[in-house]
């Protein structure tokens, strides 16, 4: 097991963990010492690159991506790149977050919904439909149902999914993402249920992720603290070589 000693190591672990999750959803890509990249267009909501260090050459990173197809984006994990010369604009900024493995639950209360791990492809489709608010589009494929990735679902008394999250164990941490509440469930229920599920699956690992705005404030209520900023850049313009 990887032992993480300090906040700097946690930040790098959070970036690598997130890159591992993106690679799993996107079905591959390439890891180097500095970044994970996908040479082909990635699915909606997922970047074409995730930086793993502060020292990534911006021009070389952009050149490795498919900027000819609409929607190309880069997760600048340390908020240090200038990708504007390559035709990118900042899409949003967020904060990496961390919660110790032994942090106490909010208020000591148990989740109200019945939480469990998604077990098969059919249930995964129902989870995605609840997350998306409409229907499953197949973004999350059954190949993601592995030992290191858990789709966590909170169900009401009728068995309907009302909240959920994704947890992935990689780089010595557990990444939590895609936290959602629907059908009357609250955000605090979603976070409490997700964290309880993670504690059961990986009790010894710290939890990381990234959030912004109200979601960041909700995460803070559940024991998360900030690790550092990140930016997501979106390619918006064609550039001409000089």
């Amino acid at each position: 097991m990887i032992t993480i000693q300090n906040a700097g190591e946690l930040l790098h672990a959070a970036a690598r963990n997130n890159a591992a999750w993106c690679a799993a959803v996107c079905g591959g890509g390439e890891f180097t010492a500095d970044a994970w990249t996908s040479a082909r267009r990635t699915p909606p909501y997922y970047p074409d690159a995730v930086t793993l260090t502060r020292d990534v050459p911006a021009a070389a990173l952009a050149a490795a991506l498919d900027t000819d197809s609409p929607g190309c984006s880069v997760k600048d994990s340390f908020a240090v790149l200038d990708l504007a010369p390559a035709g990118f604009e900042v899409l949003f900024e967020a904060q990496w977050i961390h919660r110790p493995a032994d942090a106490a639950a909010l208020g000591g209360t148990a989740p109200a919904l019945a939480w469990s791990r998604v077990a098969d492809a059919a249930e995964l489709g129902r989870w995605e439909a609840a997350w998306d608010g409409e229907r499953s589009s197949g973004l999350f494929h059954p190949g993601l149902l592995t030992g290191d990735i858990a789709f966590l679902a909170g169900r009401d008394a009728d068995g309907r999914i009302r909240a959920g999250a994704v947890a992935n164990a990689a780089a010595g941490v557990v990444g939590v993402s895609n936290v959602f509440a629907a059908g009357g469930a609250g955000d605090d229920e979603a976070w409490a249920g997700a964290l309880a599920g993670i504690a059961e699956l990986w009790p010894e690992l710290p939890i990381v992720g990234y959030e912004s705005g109200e979601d960041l404030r909700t995460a803070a209520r559940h024991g998360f603290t900030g690790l550092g900023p990140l930016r997501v850049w979106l390619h918006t313009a064609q550039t001409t070589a000089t």
Side-chain angles (χ1 to χ4, degrees), residues 75-183:
K75 185 171 290 174
D76 176 8
S77 299
F78 304 91
V80 294
L81 295 180
D82 180 9
L83 290 169
F88 289 80
E89 295 180 359
V90 175
L91 181 62
F92 68 86
E93 298 184 344
Q95 180 79 209
W96 290 110
I97 55 175
H98 157 249
R99 186 180 192 270
D102 57 356
L106 175 67
T109 58
L113 298 174
W115 284 79
S116 62
R117 189 174 187 170
V118 169
D120 56 38
E123 195 173 29
L124 180 59
R126 292 191 291 273
W127 186 98
E128 184 176 341
W131 167 78
D132 190 49
E134 295 182 6
R135 60 183 178 82
S136 173
S137 63
L139 172 63
F140 301 117
H141 52 85
L144 295 171
L145 299 176
T146 69
D148 292 332
I149 298 173
F151 287 80
L152 302 169
R155 299 171 178 81
D156 63 17
D158 296 321
R160 292 171 295 191
I161 297 175
R162 297 302 193 188
V166 177
N168 73 296
V173 295
V174 179
V176 60
S177 63
N178 301 85
V179 181
F180 74 90

Side-chain angles (χ1 to χ4, degrees), residues 5 32-33 35 47 51 60 63 67 92-93 110-111 133 149 156 158-159 185 188 204 212-213 221:
Q5 302 291 337
T32 66
T51 62
T67 54
F92 68 86
E93 298 184 344
I149 298 173
D156 63 17
D158 296 321
D188 285 318
E204 75 285 3
S212 62
R221 290 201 301 273

